[in-house]
């Protein structure tokens, strides 16, 4: 992974942006690296899973996954306040959830929305439903459909929620098609709330070694945040569709070291190493997503929730149906 400074790979993270380093007195020897050589031969380096398999495994193990890869408290608070604003004054507000994310469904059902869930995978819907605070709620209707096969009466929904959806879509044409459909399905003034992975330039994203140093300095304090940043640092299709493929071997080694030192749980290690690392998603450039969305919606706000460092790669989008 290229970094901002070619002369010294020890870099300081401040507000997630990588800055030139302080004058270091020498890099400390990291306990992780002693483990790396020993575990290299046992790591699953070449797993190949298709999207349906990955989604099913992800849903089955969702209970072991922590924020920021699943919605965090800050994200849900921000969206809860915005959804309350929409629901105020509506006798029976209606919402669409793209995917089965349990936190989003609970958020809408708790506020009295008539909720439609679109998900083409029965297993995913079933696993996620078991993790809800309000499973099998009478106000929820499930449609086993991909959004491309769905058809709703124009003006049906007041709110649409989704989480980490667009990195499944390979190009702006499909993204534009999705938002054109949402524009038709939604009431005038309706609100879309989504969190999407965006690509960052190479010189603004730290390497795995930088991240470990930042962890040892206390600049990264949440174990899940560290493990997810390691995934981003070594998975070029997630970080930048224009970059050449980077070998994820180092991230695998570091994740295994984190598990060996009980910094992350065995369940989270299994989830990240068998699902997140092999996943060939695409992070689109922020401007490309914005252009696709603004063909049909007005961008109300775009910002990270700030609870975790890696939230900078997954900002919250708030869109108004124009």
């Amino acid at each position: 992974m290229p970094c901002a400074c070619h002369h010294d790979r020890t870099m300081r993270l401040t507000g997630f942006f990588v800055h030139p380093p302080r004058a270091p007195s020498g890099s400390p020897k990291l306990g992780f690296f002693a483990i790396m050589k020993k575990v290299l031969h046992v790591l699953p380096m070449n797993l190949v899973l298709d999207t349906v398999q990955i989604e099913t495994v992800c849903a089955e193990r969702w209970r072991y996954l922590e924020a920021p890869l699943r919605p965090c408290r800050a994200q849900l608070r921000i969206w809860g306040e915005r959804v309350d604003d929409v629901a105020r004054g509506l006798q029976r507000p209606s919402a669409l959830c793209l995917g089965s994310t349990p936190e989003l469904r609970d958020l809408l059902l708790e506020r009295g929305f008539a909720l439609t869930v679109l998900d083409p995978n029965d297993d995913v819907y079933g696993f996620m439903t078991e993790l809800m605070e309000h499973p099998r709620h009478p106000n929820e209707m499930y449609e086993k459909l991909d959004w491309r096969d769905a058809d709703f009466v124009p003006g049906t929904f007041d709110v649409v929620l989704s989480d980490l959806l667009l990195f499944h879509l390979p190009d702006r044409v499909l993204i534009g098609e999705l938002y054109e459909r949402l524009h038709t399905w939604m009431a005038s003034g309706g609100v879309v709330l989504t969190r999407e992975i965006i690509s960052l330039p190479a010189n603004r994203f730290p390497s795995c070694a930088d991240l470990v140093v930042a962890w040892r300095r206390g600049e990264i304090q949440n174990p899940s945040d560290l493990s997810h940043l390691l995934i981003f640092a070594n998975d070029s299709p997630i970080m930048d569709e224009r970059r050449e493929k980077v070998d994820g071997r180092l991230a695998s080694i570091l994740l295994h070291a984190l598990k060996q030192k009980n910094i992350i749980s065995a369940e989270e290690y299994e989830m990240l190493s068998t699902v997140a690392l092999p996943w060939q998603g695409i992070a689109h450039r922020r401007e490309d997503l914005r252009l696709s969305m603004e063909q049909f919606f007005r961008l109300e706000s775009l910002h990270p929730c700030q609870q975790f460092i890696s939230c900078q790669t997954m900002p919250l989008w708030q869109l108004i149906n124009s």
Side-chain angles (χ1 to χ4, degrees), residues 13-261:
L13 304 180
T14 303
F16 192 72
F17 297 100
V18 182
H19 295 275
R22 297 178 285 242
S25 58
S27 299
K29 290 192 179 294
L30 305 179
F32 294 136
F33 293 101
I35 300 172
M36 292 178 195
K37 295 179 182 177
K38 298 180 182 179
V39 303
L40 181 60
H41 65 285
V42 300
L43 295 175
M45 298 297 180
N46 296 309
L47 292 173
V48 178
L49 301 175
D50 64 31
T51 299
V52 173
Q53 289 175 310
I54 288 174
E55 289 175 347
T56 301
V57 172
C58 184
E60 185 178 5
R61 299 175 185 173
W62 189 257
R63 69 180 73 246
Y64 302 120
L65 196 62
E66 298 180 6
L69 200 56
R70 66 189 290 177
C72 66
R73 290 190 302 274
Q75 175 187 350
L76 295 173
R77 176 183 55 78
I78 293 168
W79 283 8
E81 293 172 356
R82 190 66 185 89
V83 168
D84 287 339
D85 290 341
V86 175
R88 196 172 291 117
L90 296 177
Q91 186 172 4
R92 184 166 171 76
S94 177
L96 174 66
C97 192
L98 298 172
S100 300
T101 307
E103 294 90 342
L104 304 189
R105 293 157 63 192
D106 278 326
L107 183 150
L108 292 163
L109 292 169
E110 288 168 358
R111 288 162 171 79
F113 278 76
L115 174 61
T116 300
V117 178
L118 279 187
D119 198 311
N121 190 320
D122 277 333
D123 290 334
V124 169
Y125 178 78
F127 286 129
M128 294 297 200
T129 298
E130 295 304 316
L131 299 178
M132 293 178 64
E133 294 183 11
H134 309 286
R136 291 169 288 280
H137 195 284
N139 284 354
E140 179 178 283
M141 179 178 68
Y142 165 54
E143 297 274 4
K144 184 186 176 181
L145 288 172
D146 186 278
W147 62 267
R148 283 165 285 197
D149 301 318
D151 187 19
F152 296 105
V153 174
T156 296
F157 302 110
D158 303 296
V159 171
V160 173
L161 263 59
S162 66
D163 194 66
L164 306 184
L165 173 68
L166 299 183
F167 82 111
H168 297 291
L169 304 182
D171 56 51
R172 283 179 55 192
V173 174
L174 276 177
I175 295 171
E177 182 182 340
L178 168 63
Y179 278 90
E180 183 177 14
R181 289 182 179 230
L182 294 182
H183 169 70
T184 301
W185 297 340
M186 295 186 71
S188 177
V191 174
V192 175
L193 303 174
T194 187
R195 181 177 65 139
E196 298 299 345
I197 297 174
I198 58 171
S199 64
L200 295 176
N203 64 357
R204 281 180 48 197
F205 200 87
S207 69
C208 284
D210 302 331
L211 293 169
V212 173
V213 171
W215 168 264
R216 289 174 61 84
R217 289 177 174 173
E219 296 171 17
I220 303 173
Q221 298 182 359
N222 182 280
S224 292
D225 202 13
L226 173 61
S227 57
H228 297 142
L229 286 167
L230 291 171
I231 295 293
F232 289 133
N234 268 269
D235 195 340
S236 63
I238 282 183
M239 286 314 302
D240 193 330
E241 62 195 281
R242 298 162 301 167
R243 233 183 266 166
E244 293 183 2
K245 175 67 176 160
V246 176
D247 187 358
R249 180 178 296 262
L250 181 56
S252 295
I253 295 170
L254 287 169
L255 288 174
H256 193 279
L258 293 174
K259 184 191 73 168
Q260 293 290 91
K261 287 184 169 286

